[in-house]
Amino acid sequence: MSTVTNISPQGDLELPLIGRVVAAGESVEVPADVAEKLAAQPDVWLVTSSTPKIADLRAAAEERGIDLTGLKKKADIEAALAAGGTGTDDDSNDDTEGGDL
């Protein structure tokens, strides 16, 4: 058995190979042959031989260019991977200049 984690930016995904929906950020155990098929989709599934560790999730985020600044909890990192976004709530990219529009 292997563990796969849904890291898709699309959110929850139906996985017919196991007959159920896998929620965004959720990890499930699957047979090795299913894990091998899912490994071909590295932007959608994180495949590990056991429950993914934070280091595995951080590595997946780095590969996808996802900023995890400020995130320490596994659930938060899984959520950032699933969202495909950043780990901060920083508004520094806001182009408005504090005046009247």
Side-chain angles (χ1 to χ4, degrees), residues 5-9 23-27 44 46 52-88:
T5 303
N6 174 358
I7 60 170
S8 171
E26 180 183 5
S27 298
V44 178
L46 174 64
K53 296 178 174 42
I54 289 178
D56 298 326
L57 298 171
R58 287 191 178 279
E62 184 176 338
E63 287 175 14
R64 295 176 61 196
I66 296 173
D67 180 15
L68 298 180
T69 302
L71 299 183
K72 296 184 180 178
K73 294 181 180 177
K74 184 176 179 182
D76 293 339
I77 295 169
E78 289 172 334
L81 279 165
T86 64
T88 64

Side-chain angles (χ1 to χ4, degrees), residues 3-33:
T3 300
V4 296
T5 303
N6 174 358
I7 60 170
S8 171
Q10 301 300 316
D12 299 352
L13 297 174
E14 184 174 352
L15 185 53
L17 293 170
I18 62 170
R20 63 171 287 226
V21 172
V22 180
E26 180 183 5
S27 298
V28 294
E29 285 196 16
V30 298
D33 63 318

Side-chain angles (χ1 to χ4, degrees), residues 96-100:
T96 59
E97 294 181 16
D100 292 333

